Amino acid sequence: MLKFQKLIFNCLFLKMEMEDNKDVFVYIPRKCSFTNRILTSKDHSSVQISIGSVGNEGVYKGKFEIFSLCGNLRKQGRADEALNLLVEKTDLLKK
């Protein structure tokens, strides 16, 4: 049985209970939010950006979205375009 344990820096840790009642933690690595590539430990130019949701008056609501961008996307100069598309998709930015 899989149970959601923690979400730390967009890395997911799942707690899985085995048949012999032992708990096993499964690590799921981060992925690029735009290209869906796995962010490896050698990708030193990858970034993770948290964007907060604000109301009509510009006051922070207490909710935020986390976006991870891979280094290859940043190297190509497409990170700003990718971030704009991701933010529009999650309705944080209205046109």
Side-chain angles (χ1 to χ4, degrees):
M1 177 175 174
L2 288 175
K3 294 180 184 177
F4 173 74
Q5 185 64 22
K6 293 183 193 178
L7 180 64
I8 301 175
F9 296 113
N10 209 15
C11 301
L12 187 62
F13 289 93
L14 292 176
K15 182 178 178 182
M16 192 166 72
E17 192 172 299
M18 301 303 280
E19 293 174 0
D20 54 355
N21 292 333
K22 289 184 179 179
D23 291 336
V24 177
F25 289 95
V26 180
Y27 169 74
I28 300 174
R30 293 188 302 158
K31 285 187 172 183
C32 178
S33 300
F34 190 71
T35 61
N36 220 17
R37 286 184 176 192
I38 292 178
L39 300 177
T40 64
S41 61
K42 296 294 182 183
D43 190 359
H44 297 293
S45 58
S46 64
V47 293
Q48 178 173 311
I49 301 172
S50 299
I51 298 178
S53 178
V54 295
N56 291 335
E57 295 94 26
V59 179
Y60 178 62
K61 293 182 181 178
K63 298 179 183 176
F64 60 92
E65 292 285 331
I66 299 173
F67 299 106
S68 299
L69 299 174
C70 64
N72 189 27
L73 192 65
R74 296 182 66 212
K75 182 179 176 183
Q76 294 173 359
R78 296 183 52 217
D80 56 342
E81 174 191 359
L83 190 60
N84 282 335
L85 290 173
L86 289 169
V87 170
E88 284 178 9
K89 189 192 305 183
T90 58
D91 293 332
L92 290 173
L93 179 68
K94 309 263 192 235
K95 279 191 169 185

Coordinates of all heavy atoms in Angstrom, one line a residue:
M1 N 0.8 -1.2 0.0 CA 0.0 0.0 0.0 C 0.9 1.2 0.0 O 1.8 1.4 0.8 CB -0.9 0.0 1.2 CG -1.7 1.1 1.4 SD -2.8 0.8 2.9 CE -3.6 2.3 3.0
L2 N 0.7 2.1 -1.0 CA 1.5 3.4 -1.1 C 0.8 4.5 -0.3 O -0.4 4.7 -0.4 CB 1.6 3.8 -2.5 CG 2.5 2.9 -3.4 CD1 2.5 3.4 -4.8 CD2 4.0 3.0 -2.9
K3 N 1.6 5.2 0.5 CA 1.1 6.4 1.2 C 2.0 7.5 0.9 O 3.2 7.4 0.8 CB 1.1 6.1 2.7 CG 0.1 5.0 3.2 CD 0.2 4.9 4.7 CE -0.6 3.8 5.1 NZ -0.5 3.5 6.6
F4 N 1.4 8.7 0.7 CA 2.1 9.9 0.5 C 2.8 10.3 1.8 O 2.2 10.4 2.8 CB 1.2 11.0 0.0 CG 1.9 12.4 -0.1 CD1 2.8 12.6 -1.1 CD2 1.6 13.3 0.9 CE1 3.4 13.8 -1.2 CE2 2.3 14.6 0.8 CZ 3.1 14.8 -0.3
Q5 N 4.1 10.4 1.8 CA 4.9 10.7 3.0 C 5.2 12.2 3.1 O 4.8 12.9 3.9 CB 6.1 9.8 3.1 CG 6.9 10.0 4.4 CD 6.1 9.5 5.6 OE1 5.2 8.8 5.5 NE2 6.4 10.0 6.8
K6 N 6.1 12.7 2.2 CA 6.6 14.0 2.3 C 6.8 14.5 0.8 O 7.1 13.8 0.0 CB 7.9 14.1 3.0 CG 7.9 13.8 4.4 CD 9.3 14.1 4.9 CE 9.4 13.5 6.3 NZ 10.7 13.6 6.9
L7 N 6.7 15.8 0.7 CA 7.2 16.5 -0.5 C 8.2 17.5 -0.1 O 7.9 18.5 0.6 CB 6.0 17.2 -1.2 CG 6.3 17.9 -2.5 CD1 6.8 16.9 -3.6 CD2 5.1 18.6 -3.0
I8 N 9.5 17.3 -0.4 CA 10.6 18.2 0.0 C 11.3 18.6 -1.3 O 11.8 17.8 -2.0 CB 11.6 17.4 0.9 CG1 10.9 17.0 2.2 CG2 12.7 18.4 1.3 CD1 11.7 16.1 3.1
F9 N 11.2 19.9 -1.5 CA 11.9 20.5 -2.6 C 11.5 19.8 -3.9 O 12.4 19.5 -4.8 CB 13.4 20.5 -2.5 CG 13.9 21.4 -1.3 CD1 14.5 20.8 -0.2 CD2 13.7 22.7 -1.4 CE1 14.9 21.6 0.8 CE2 14.1 23.5 -0.3 CZ 14.7 23.0 0.8
N10 N 10.3 19.5 -4.1 CA 9.7 18.9 -5.3 C 10.2 17.5 -5.5 O 10.1 17.0 -6.6 CB 10.0 19.8 -6.5 CG 9.0 19.7 -7.6 OD1 7.9 19.1 -7.3 ND2 9.3 20.1 -8.8
C11 N 10.9 16.9 -4.5 CA 11.3 15.5 -4.6 C 10.2 14.7 -3.7 O 9.9 15.2 -2.7 CB 12.6 15.2 -4.0 SG 13.9 16.1 -4.8
L12 N 9.8 13.7 -4.3 CA 8.7 13.0 -3.6 C 9.2 11.7 -2.9 O 10.0 10.9 -3.4 CB 7.6 12.6 -4.6 CG 6.4 12.0 -4.2 CD1 5.6 13.0 -3.3 CD2 5.5 11.6 -5.3
F13 N 8.9 11.6 -1.6 CA 9.2 10.4 -0.9 C 7.9 9.7 -0.6 O 7.0 10.3 0.0 CB 9.9 10.8 0.5 CG 11.2 11.3 0.3 CD1 11.5 12.6 0.2 CD2 12.3 10.4 0.2 CE1 12.8 13.1 0.1 CE2 13.6 10.9 0.1 CZ 13.8 12.2 0.0
L14 N 7.8 8.4 -1.0 CA 6.6 7.6 -0.7 C 6.9 6.6 0.3 O 8.0 6.0 0.3 CB 6.1 6.9 -2.0 CG 5.6 7.8 -3.1 CD1 5.2 7.0 -4.3 CD2 4.3 8.6 -2.6
K15 N 6.0 6.4 1.2 CA 6.2 5.3 2.2 C 5.4 4.1 1.7 O 4.2 4.2 1.5 CB 5.6 5.8 3.6 CG 5.8 4.8 4.7 CD 5.3 5.4 6.0 CE 5.4 4.5 7.1 NZ 4.9 5.0 8.3
M16 N 6.0 3.0 1.6 CA 5.4 1.8 1.1 C 5.5 0.7 2.2 O 6.6 0.5 2.7 CB 6.1 1.4 -0.2 CG 5.3 0.3 -0.9 SD 6.0 0.1 -2.6 CE 7.5 -0.7 -2.4
E17 N 4.4 0.1 2.5 CA 4.4 -0.9 3.5 C 4.5 -2.3 2.8 O 3.6 -2.6 1.9 CB 3.1 -0.8 4.3 CG 3.2 -1.7 5.6 CD 2.0 -1.4 6.4 OE1 1.8 -0.2 6.9 OE2 1.2 -2.3 6.6
M18 N 5.4 -3.1 3.1 CA 5.6 -4.4 2.5 C 4.7 -5.4 3.2 O 4.1 -5.1 4.2 CB 7.1 -4.8 2.6 CG 8.1 -3.8 2.0 SD 7.7 -3.5 0.2 CE 8.5 -4.9 -0.5
E19 N 4.7 -6.6 2.6 CA 3.8 -7.7 3.1 C 4.2 -8.1 4.6 O 3.4 -8.5 5.4 CB 3.9 -8.9 2.2 CG 3.2 -8.7 0.9 CD 3.4 -9.8 -0.1 OE1 4.0 -10.8 0.3 OE2 3.0 -9.7 -1.2
D20 N 5.5 -8.0 4.9 CA 5.9 -8.4 6.2 C 5.9 -7.2 7.2 O 6.6 -7.1 8.2 CB 7.3 -9.0 6.2 CG 8.3 -8.1 5.5 OD1 8.0 -7.1 5.0 OD2 9.5 -8.5 5.5
N21 N 5.1 -6.2 6.9 CA 4.9 -5.0 7.7 C 6.1 -4.1 8.0 O 6.2 -3.4 8.9 CB 4.3 -5.3 9.1 CG 2.8 -5.9 8.9 OD1 2.2 -5.5 8.0 ND2 2.4 -6.7 9.8
K22 N 7.1 -4.2 7.0 CA 8.2 -3.3 7.1 C 8.0 -2.1 6.2 O 7.4 -2.2 5.1 CB 9.5 -4.0 6.6 CG 10.0 -5.1 7.5 CD 11.3 -5.6 7.0 CE 11.8 -6.7 8.0 NZ 13.0 -7.3 7.5
D23 N 8.4 -0.9 6.7 CA 8.2 0.3 5.9 C 9.4 0.5 5.0 O 10.6 0.4 5.4 CB 8.0 1.5 6.8 CG 6.7 1.5 7.6 OD1 5.8 0.8 7.1 OD2 6.6 2.1 8.6
V24 N 9.2 0.8 3.7 CA 10.2 1.1 2.8 C 9.9 2.5 2.2 O 8.8 2.8 1.8 CB 10.2 0.1 1.6 CG1 11.3 0.4 0.6 CG2 10.5 -1.3 2.2
F25 N 10.9 3.4 2.1 CA 10.7 4.7 1.5 C 11.3 4.7 0.1 O 12.4 4.2 -0.2 CB 11.5 5.7 2.3 CG 10.8 6.0 3.7 CD1 11.2 5.3 4.8 CD2 9.7 6.9 3.8 CE1 10.6 5.6 6.0 CE2 9.1 7.1 5.0 CZ 9.6 6.4 6.1
V26 N 10.5 5.2 -0.8 CA 10.8 5.2 -2.2 C 11.1 6.7 -2.6 O 10.2 7.6 -2.3 CB 9.6 4.6 -3.1 CG1 10.0 4.7 -4.6 CG2 9.3 3.2 -2.7
Y27 N 12.2 6.9 -3.3 CA 12.6 8.3 -3.7 C 12.2 8.5 -5.1 O 12.6 7.7 -6.0 CB 14.0 8.5 -3.5 CG 14.6 9.8 -4.1 CD1 14.3 11.0 -3.5 CD2 15.4 9.7 -5.2 CE1 14.8 12.2 -4.1 CE2 15.8 10.9 -5.8 CZ 15.6 12.1 -5.2 OH 16.0 13.2 -5.8
I28 N 11.5 9.5 -5.5 CA 11.1 9.8 -6.8 C 11.8 11.2 -7.2 O 11.5 12.2 -6.5 CB 9.6 9.9 -7.0 CG1 9.0 8.6 -6.7 CG2 9.3 10.3 -8.5 CD1 7.5 8.6 -6.7
P29 N 12.8 11.2 -8.1 CA 13.5 12.4 -8.4 C 12.7 13.5 -9.0 O 11.6 13.3 -9.6 CB 14.6 11.9 -9.3 CG 14.1 10.7 -10.0 CD 13.2 10.1 -9.0
R30 N 13.3 14.7 -9.0 CA 12.6 15.9 -9.6 C 12.6 15.7 -11.1 O 13.5 15.1 -11.7 CB 13.3 17.2 -9.3 CG 13.2 17.5 -7.8 CD 13.7 18.9 -7.6 NE 15.1 19.1 -8.0 CZ 15.7 20.2 -8.3 NH1 15.0 21.3 -8.2 NH2 17.0 20.2 -8.6
K31 N 11.7 16.3 -11.8 CA 11.6 16.4 -13.3 C 11.4 17.8 -13.7 O 10.9 18.6 -13.0 CB 10.5 15.6 -13.8 CG 10.7 14.1 -13.8 CD 9.5 13.4 -14.5 CE 9.8 11.9 -14.6 NZ 8.7 11.3 -15.4
C32 N 11.9 18.1 -14.9 CA 11.7 19.5 -15.4 C 10.2 19.6 -15.7 O 9.6 18.7 -16.3 CB 12.5 19.6 -16.7 SG 12.3 21.2 -17.6
S33 N 9.7 20.7 -15.3 CA 8.2 21.0 -15.5 C 7.8 21.2 -16.9 O 6.7 20.9 -17.3 CB 7.8 22.2 -14.7 OG 8.1 22.0 -13.3
F34 N 8.8 21.6 -17.8 CA 8.5 21.9 -19.2 C 8.8 20.7 -20.1 O 7.9 20.2 -20.8 CB 9.2 23.1 -19.6 CG 8.8 23.6 -21.0 CD1 7.6 24.2 -21.1 CD2 9.6 23.5 -22.0 CE1 7.2 24.7 -22.4 CE2 9.3 24.0 -23.3 CZ 8.0 24.6 -23.5
T35 N 10.0 20.1 -20.0 CA 10.4 19.0 -20.9 C 10.2 17.7 -20.3 O 10.3 16.7 -21.0 CB 11.9 19.2 -21.2 OG1 12.7 19.1 -20.0 CG2 12.2 20.5 -21.9
N36 N 9.9 17.6 -19.0 CA 9.7 16.3 -18.3 C 10.9 15.4 -18.2 O 10.9 14.2 -18.0 CB 8.5 15.5 -19.0 CG 7.7 14.8 -17.9 OD1 7.7 15.2 -16.8 ND2 6.9 13.9 -18.4
R37 N 12.1 16.1 -18.3 CA 13.4 15.4 -18.1 C 13.7 15.2 -16.7 O 13.4 16.1 -15.9 CB 14.5 16.2 -18.7 CG 14.6 16.2 -20.2 CD 15.9 16.9 -20.6 NE 16.1 16.9 -22.0 CZ 17.1 17.3 -22.6 NH1 18.2 17.7 -21.9 NH2 17.2 17.2 -23.9
I38 N 14.3 14.1 -16.3 CA 14.8 13.9 -14.9 C 15.9 14.8 -14.6 O 16.9 14.9 -15.4 CB 15.1 12.4 -14.7 CG1 13.9 11.6 -14.8 CG2 15.8 12.3 -13.3 CD1 14.1 10.1 -14.6
L39 N 15.9 15.5 -13.5 CA 17.0 16.4 -13.1 C 18.0 15.6 -12.3 O 17.7 15.2 -11.2 CB 16.5 17.6 -12.3 CG 15.4 18.5 -13.0 CD1 15.0 19.6 -12.0 CD2 16.0 19.1 -14.2
T40 N 19.1 15.3 -12.9 CA 20.1 14.5 -12.3 C 21.0 15.3 -11.3 O 20.9 16.5 -11.3 CB 21.0 13.8 -13.4 OG1 21.7 14.9 -14.0 CG2 20.2 13.0 -14.4
S41 N 21.8 14.6 -10.6 CA 22.6 15.3 -9.6 C 23.8 16.1 -10.3 O 24.4 17.0 -9.7 CB 23.2 14.3 -8.6 OG 24.0 13.3 -9.3
K42 N 24.0 15.8 -11.6 CA 25.1 16.4 -12.3 C 24.6 17.7 -13.1 O 25.4 18.4 -13.7 CB 25.7 15.5 -13.3 CG 26.4 14.3 -12.7 CD 27.6 14.8 -11.9 CE 28.4 13.6 -11.3 NZ 29.5 14.1 -10.5
D43 N 23.3 17.9 -13.0 CA 22.7 19.1 -13.7 C 22.8 20.3 -12.7 O 21.8 20.6 -12.0 CB 21.3 18.8 -14.1 CG 20.7 19.9 -15.0 OD1 21.4 20.8 -15.3 OD2 19.5 19.7 -15.4
H44 N 23.9 20.9 -12.7 CA 24.2 22.0 -11.7 C 23.5 23.3 -12.2 O 23.5 24.3 -11.4 CB 25.7 22.2 -11.5 CG 26.3 21.0 -10.9 ND1 26.0 20.6 -9.6 CD2 27.2 20.1 -11.4 CE1 26.8 19.5 -9.4 NE2 27.5 19.2 -10.4
S45 N 23.0 23.4 -13.4 CA 22.4 24.7 -13.8 C 20.9 24.6 -13.8 O 20.2 25.5 -14.2 CB 22.9 25.0 -15.2 OG 22.6 24.0 -16.1
S46 N 20.3 23.5 -13.2 CA 18.9 23.4 -13.1 C 18.4 24.3 -12.0 O 19.2 24.5 -11.0 CB 18.4 22.0 -12.9 OG 18.9 21.5 -11.7
V47 N 17.2 24.9 -12.1 CA 16.7 25.7 -11.0 C 15.3 25.3 -10.6 O 14.6 24.6 -11.4 CB 16.6 27.2 -11.5 CG1 18.0 27.8 -11.7 CG2 15.8 27.4 -12.7
Q48 N 14.9 25.7 -9.4 CA 13.5 25.4 -9.0 C 13.0 26.7 -8.5 O 13.6 27.4 -7.7 CB 13.6 24.4 -7.8 CG 12.2 24.1 -7.2 CD 12.3 23.0 -6.2 OE1 12.9 22.0 -6.5 NE2 11.7 23.2 -5.1
I49 N 11.8 27.1 -9.0 CA 11.2 28.4 -8.7 C 9.8 28.2 -8.1 O 9.0 27.5 -8.7 CB 11.1 29.3 -10.0 CG1 12.5 29.4 -10.6 CG2 10.5 30.6 -9.8 CD1 12.5 30.1 -12.0
S50 N 9.6 28.9 -7.0 CA 8.3 28.9 -6.4 C 7.6 30.2 -6.7 O 8.1 31.3 -6.4 CB 8.4 28.7 -4.9 OG 9.0 27.5 -4.6
I51 N 6.4 30.1 -7.3 CA 5.6 31.3 -7.6 C 4.4 31.4 -6.8 O 3.6 30.4 -6.9 CB 5.3 31.4 -9.1 CG1 6.6 31.4 -9.9 CG2 4.5 32.6 -9.5 CD1 6.5 31.5 -11.4
G52 N 4.2 32.4 -6.1 CA 3.0 32.5 -5.2 C 1.8 33.0 -5.9 O 1.9 33.8 -6.9
S53 N 0.6 32.7 -5.4 CA -0.6 33.1 -5.9 C -1.1 34.3 -5.2 O -1.1 34.3 -3.9 CB -1.7 32.0 -5.8 OG -2.9 32.4 -6.2
V54 N -1.5 35.4 -5.9 CA -1.9 36.6 -5.3 C -3.4 36.9 -5.7 O -3.8 36.5 -6.7 CB -1.0 37.8 -5.6 CG1 0.4 37.6 -5.1 CG2 -1.0 38.0 -7.1
G55 N -4.1 37.6 -4.8 CA -5.5 38.0 -5.1 C -5.5 39.3 -6.0 O -4.5 39.7 -6.5
N56 N -6.7 39.8 -6.1 CA -6.9 41.0 -7.0 C -6.2 42.2 -6.4 O -5.9 43.1 -7.2 CB -8.4 41.3 -7.1 CG -9.1 40.2 -8.0 OD1 -8.5 39.5 -8.8 ND2 -10.4 40.0 -7.8
E57 N -6.1 42.3 -5.1 CA -5.4 43.4 -4.5 C -3.9 43.3 -4.4 O -3.2 44.1 -4.0 CB -5.9 43.6 -3.0 CG -7.4 44.0 -2.9 CD -8.3 42.8 -2.7 OE1 -7.8 41.8 -2.2 OE2 -9.4 42.9 -3.1
G58 N -3.4 42.1 -4.9 CA -2.0 41.9 -4.9 C -1.4 41.3 -3.6 O -0.2 41.4 -3.3
V59 N -2.3 40.7 -2.8 CA -2.0 40.2 -1.5 C -1.8 38.7 -1.7 O -2.6 38.0 -2.3 CB -3.1 40.4 -0.4 CG1 -2.7 39.8 0.9 CG2 -3.3 41.9 -0.3
Y60 N -0.7 38.1 -1.1 CA -0.4 36.7 -1.2 C -1.4 35.9 -0.5 O -1.8 36.2 0.6 CB 1.0 36.5 -0.6 CG 1.5 35.1 -0.5 CD1 1.7 34.3 -1.7 CD2 1.7 34.4 0.7 CE1 2.1 33.0 -1.6 CE2 2.2 33.1 0.7 CZ 2.3 32.4 -0.4 OH 2.8 31.1 -0.4
K61 N -1.9 34.8 -1.2 CA -3.0 34.0 -0.7 C -2.5 32.8 0.2 O -3.3 32.2 0.8 CB -3.8 33.4 -1.8 CG -4.6 34.4 -2.6 CD -5.4 33.6 -3.7 CE -6.2 34.5 -4.6 NZ -6.8 33.7 -5.6
G62 N -1.2 32.6 0.2 CA -0.7 31.4 1.0 C -0.5 30.2 0.1 O -0.1 29.2 0.6
K63 N -0.8 30.2 -1.2 CA -0.7 29.1 -2.1 C 0.4 29.4 -3.0 O 0.6 30.6 -3.4 CB -2.0 28.8 -2.8 CG -3.1 28.4 -1.9 CD -4.4 28.2 -2.7 CE -5.5 27.9 -1.8 NZ -6.8 27.7 -2.6
F64 N 1.1 28.4 -3.5 CA 2.2 28.6 -4.5 C 2.4 27.4 -5.3 O 1.9 26.3 -5.0 CB 3.5 29.0 -3.8 CG 4.1 27.9 -2.9 CD1 4.9 26.9 -3.3 CD2 3.7 27.9 -1.5 CE1 5.4 25.9 -2.5 CE2 4.1 26.9 -0.7 CZ 5.0 25.9 -1.2
E65 N 3.0 27.6 -6.5 CA 3.3 26.5 -7.4 C 4.8 26.4 -7.5 O 5.5 27.4 -7.5 CB 2.7 26.8 -8.8 CG 1.2 26.7 -8.9 CD 0.7 25.3 -8.8 OE1 1.4 24.4 -9.3 OE2 -0.4 25.2 -8.3
I66 N 5.3 25.2 -7.6 CA 6.8 24.9 -7.8 C 7.0 24.5 -9.2 O 6.4 23.6 -9.7 CB 7.2 23.9 -6.8 CG1 7.0 24.3 -5.3 CG2 8.7 23.6 -7.0 CD1 7.3 23.3 -4.3
F67 N 8.0 25.2 -9.8 CA 8.4 24.8 -11.2 C 9.9 24.5 -11.2 O 10.7 25.3 -10.6 CB 8.1 26.0 -12.2 CG 6.7 26.4 -12.3 CD1 6.2 27.5 -11.7 CD2 5.8 25.5 -12.9 CE1 4.9 27.9 -11.8 CE2 4.4 25.9 -13.0 CZ 4.0 27.0 -12.4
S68 N 10.3 23.4 -11.8 CA 11.7 23.1 -12.0 C 12.0 23.1 -13.4 O 11.3 22.7 -14.3 CB 11.9 21.6 -11.5 OG 11.6 21.5 -10.1
L69 N 13.2 23.8 -13.7 CA 13.6 23.9 -15.1 C 15.0 23.3 -15.2 O 15.9 23.6 -14.4 CB 13.7 25.4 -15.5 CG 12.3 26.1 -15.5 CD1 12.5 27.6 -15.7 CD2 11.3 25.5 -16.5
C70 N 15.2 22.5 -16.3 CA 16.5 21.8 -16.5 C 17.5 22.8 -17.0 O 17.2 23.8 -17.6 CB 16.3 20.6 -17.4 SG 15.8 20.9 -19.0
G71 N 18.8 22.4 -16.9 CA 19.9 23.2 -17.3 C 19.9 23.4 -18.8 O 20.3 24.4 -19.4
N72 N 19.5 22.3 -19.5 CA 19.6 22.3 -21.0 C 18.6 23.4 -21.5 O 18.9 24.1 -22.5 CB 19.2 20.9 -21.5 CG 19.5 20.8 -23.0 OD1 20.3 21.5 -23.6 ND2 18.7 19.9 -23.7
L73 N 17.4 23.5 -20.9 CA 16.5 24.5 -21.3 C 17.0 25.9 -21.1 O 16.8 26.8 -21.9 CB 15.2 24.3 -20.5 CG 13.9 25.0 -20.9 CD1 13.5 24.5 -22.3 CD2 12.8 24.7 -19.9
R74 N 17.7 26.1 -20.0 CA 18.3 27.4 -19.7 C 19.4 27.7 -20.6 O 19.6 28.8 -21.0 CB 18.8 27.4 -18.2 CG 17.6 27.3 -17.2 CD 18.1 27.3 -15.8 NE 18.6 28.7 -15.6 CZ 19.6 28.9 -14.7 NH1 20.2 27.9 -14.1 NH2 20.0 30.2 -14.6
K75 N 20.2 26.7 -21.0 CA 21.3 26.9 -21.9 C 20.9 27.3 -23.3 O 21.5 28.1 -23.9 CB 22.1 25.6 -22.0 CG 23.3 25.6 -22.8 CD 24.0 24.3 -22.8 CE 25.2 24.2 -23.8 NZ 25.8 22.9 -23.8
Q76 N 19.7 26.8 -23.7 CA 19.2 27.2 -25.0 C 18.5 28.5 -25.0 O 18.1 29.1 -26.1 CB 18.1 26.1 -25.5 CG 18.7 24.8 -25.7 CD 17.5 23.8 -26.0 OE1 16.4 24.1 -25.9 NE2 17.9 22.5 -26.2
G77 N 18.3 29.1 -23.8 CA 17.7 30.4 -23.7 C 16.2 30.4 -23.8 O 15.6 31.4 -24.2
R78 N 15.6 29.3 -23.5 CA 14.2 29.1 -23.6 C 13.5 29.0 -22.3 O 12.3 28.7 -22.2 CB 13.9 27.8 -24.4 CG 14.4 27.9 -25.8 CD 14.0 26.7 -26.6 NE 12.6 26.4 -26.6 CZ 12.1 25.1 -26.5 NH1 12.9 24.1 -26.5 NH2 10.8 24.9 -26.4
A79 N 14.2 29.3 -21.2 CA 13.6 29.1 -19.8 C 12.5 30.2 -19.6 O 11.5 29.9 -19.0 CB 14.7 29.3 -18.8
D80 N 12.7 31.4 -20.1 CA 11.7 32.4 -19.8 C 10.4 32.1 -20.6 O 9.3 32.3 -20.0 CB 12.2 33.8 -20.2 CG 12.7 33.9 -21.6 OD1 13.0 32.8 -22.2 OD2 12.8 35.0 -22.1
E81 N 10.5 31.6 -21.8 CA 9.4 31.2 -22.6 C 8.6 30.0 -21.9 O 7.4 30.0 -21.8 CB 9.8 30.8 -24.0 CG 8.7 30.2 -24.8 CD 9.2 29.6 -26.1 OE1 10.4 29.6 -26.3 OE2 8.4 29.1 -26.8
A82 N 9.4 29.1 -21.4 CA 8.9 27.9 -20.8 C 8.2 28.3 -19.5 O 7.0 27.8 -19.2 CB 10.0 26.9 -20.5
L83 N 8.8 29.1 -18.7 CA 8.1 29.6 -17.4 C 6.8 30.3 -17.7 O 5.9 30.1 -17.0 CB 9.1 30.4 -16.6 CG 8.7 30.7 -15.2 CD1 8.5 29.5 -14.4 CD2 9.7 31.6 -14.5
N84 N 6.8 31.2 -18.7 CA 5.6 31.9 -19.1 C 4.5 30.9 -19.4 O 3.3 31.1 -19.0 CB 5.8 32.9 -20.2 CG 6.5 34.2 -19.7 OD1 6.4 34.5 -18.6 ND2 7.2 34.8 -20.6
L85 N 4.8 29.9 -20.2 CA 3.8 28.9 -20.6 C 3.3 28.1 -19.5 O 2.1 27.9 -19.3 CB 4.3 28.0 -21.7 CG 4.6 28.7 -23.1 CD1 5.3 27.7 -24.0 CD2 3.3 29.1 -23.7
L86 N 4.2 27.8 -18.6 CA 3.8 27.0 -17.4 C 2.9 27.8 -16.5 O 1.9 27.3 -15.9 CB 5.0 26.5 -16.6 CG 5.8 25.4 -17.3 CD1 7.2 25.2 -16.6 CD2 5.0 24.1 -17.3
V87 N 3.2 29.1 -16.3 CA 2.4 29.9 -15.4 C 1.1 30.2 -16.0 O 0.1 30.2 -15.3 CB 3.2 31.2 -15.1 CG1 2.3 32.3 -14.4 CG2 4.4 30.9 -14.3
E88 N 1.0 30.4 -17.3 CA -0.3 30.6 -18.0 C -1.2 29.3 -17.9 O -2.4 29.4 -17.7 CB -0.1 30.9 -19.4 CG 0.3 32.4 -19.6 CD 0.5 32.7 -21.1 OE1 0.2 31.8 -22.0 OE2 1.0 33.8 -21.4
K89 N -0.5 28.2 -18.0 CA -1.3 26.9 -17.9 C -1.9 26.7 -16.5 O -3.0 26.1 -16.4 CB -0.3 25.7 -18.2 CG -1.1 24.4 -18.4 CD -0.2 23.2 -18.4 CE 0.9 23.2 -19.5 NZ 1.7 22.0 -19.5
T90 N -1.2 27.1 -15.4 CA -1.7 27.0 -14.1 C -2.6 28.1 -13.6 O -3.0 28.2 -12.5 CB -0.6 26.8 -13.1 OG1 0.3 27.9 -13.2 CG2 0.2 25.5 -13.4
D91 N -2.9 29.0 -14.5 CA -3.8 30.2 -14.2 C -3.2 31.1 -13.2 O -4.0 31.8 -12.5 CB -5.2 29.7 -13.9 CG -5.9 29.1 -15.0 OD1 -5.6 29.4 -16.2 OD2 -6.8 28.2 -14.8
L92 N -1.9 31.2 -13.0 CA -1.3 32.2 -12.1 C -1.2 33.5 -12.8 O -1.1 34.6 -12.2 CB 0.0 31.7 -11.6 CG 0.0 30.6 -10.6 CD1 1.4 30.1 -10.3 CD2 -0.7 31.0 -9.3
L93 N -1.1 33.5 -14.1 CA -0.9 34.7 -14.9 C -2.1 34.8 -15.9 O -2.3 33.9 -16.7 CB 0.4 34.6 -15.7 CG 0.8 35.8 -16.6 CD1 1.0 37.0 -15.8 CD2 2.0 35.5 -17.5
K94 N -2.8 35.8 -15.8 CA -4.0 36.0 -16.7 C -3.6 37.0 -17.8 O -2.9 38.0 -17.6 CB -5.1 36.6 -15.9 CG -5.5 35.9 -14.6 CD -6.6 35.0 -14.8 CE -7.0 34.5 -13.5 NZ -7.1 33.2 -13.2
K95 N -4.1 36.7 -19.0 CA -3.8 37.6 -20.1 C -4.8 38.7 -20.2 O -5.9 38.6 -19.8 CB -3.8 36.8 -21.4 CG -2.5 36.1 -21.7 CD -2.5 35.5 -23.1 CE -1.2 35.1 -23.4 NZ -1.1 34.6 -24.8

